[in-house]
Amino acid sequence: ADEAGLAAPTLVQRFGSKKALMAAFARHAGEASAQALADDGTGNPLARLEKGLLRDLGAGDGPEALAHHLARTHLELTDPELHALTAQRARRRRKAIRALLDRAVSEGRLVSRTRTGRLSRSLETTVQGARSTWAIHRRKSLERWVRREIRSVLEPWLRG
């Protein structure tokens, strides 16, 4: 409501319920996340991957914003309809990550034996875990913290 410059009741009135508002937000977030990771076939796929993974960290204003983001995610997991949207968003995200990794392999940026399915799961898990550990340690910025972890996971697979 604050970001939109509206009163909270106005948003509830527009969407009909808090759940409908959350569902609309989840659909929008899924589209934005997929777009951030979409492989347009140009540029360095690993740079696009890193940028896309960093886009959705959910801590624009620090630990409080991250806590809010995590709380919303947990609410999504407790409701069957919202969970379905969250799971769909996660599947699309993982598929987009893998497509970028596949292109990186085909371009020789990652070694040919890279198992991109496993690596995409590892990157997804790394980003989620790094977000949580940053919230505890709060050293440097969240973006720098997560970027370091992404690069650490990719490093053994980088080609020369």
Side-chain angles (χ1 to χ4, degrees):
D2 289 342
E3 287 181 28
L6 300 170
T10 304
L11 285 177
V12 173
Q13 181 181 9
R14 160 64 177 88
F15 289 95
S17 68
K18 183 176 180 177
K19 180 178 173 179
L21 171 63
M22 289 181 69
F25 182 83
R27 281 189 288 278
H28 172 73
E31 292 167 13
S33 181
Q35 186 177 17
L37 286 164
D39 186 2
D40 63 3
T42 65
N44 181 338
L46 297 177
R48 180 147 192 139
L49 173 65
E50 185 177 287
K51 183 177 180 182
L53 290 172
L54 293 172
R55 183 198 166 282
D56 290 332
L57 293 177
D61 296 322
E64 295 78 17
L66 178 57
H68 180 73
H69 173 80
L70 293 173
R72 189 184 70 249
T73 300
H74 286 238
L75 285 173
E76 290 174 352
L77 298 177
T78 62
D79 179 274
E81 179 186 349
L82 296 175
H83 175 257
L85 291 169
T86 301
Q88 178 184 35
R89 180 173 70 229
R91 284 189 301 273
R92 287 175 65 191
R93 182 180 176 91
R94 189 179 290 171
K95 184 177 178 181
I97 292 168
R98 186 171 187 174
L100 288 166
L101 292 172
D102 286 341
R103 186 160 69 90
V105 170
S106 71
E107 292 179 1
R109 295 173 189 274
L110 296 175
V111 296
S112 61
R113 62 182 168 68
T114 302
R115 299 182 78 174
T116 57
R118 287 183 179 182
L119 187 54
S120 64
R121 287 190 308 272
S122 292
L123 283 167
E124 182 182 38
T125 301
T126 295
V127 170
Q128 294 296 327
R131 197 165 32 184
S132 295
T133 56
W134 174 84
I136 294 166
H137 298 287
R138 299 182 190 180
R139 292 197 183 109
K140 303 186 181 186
S141 71
L142 173 62
E143 186 174 307
R144 285 182 66 188
W145 186 277
V146 174
R147 179 180 286 118
R148 181 191 68 214
E149 298 307 318
I150 290 169
R151 290 177 180 177
S152 178
V153 169
L154 289 174
E155 185 177 16
W157 304 103
L158 293 174
R159 186 144 186 177

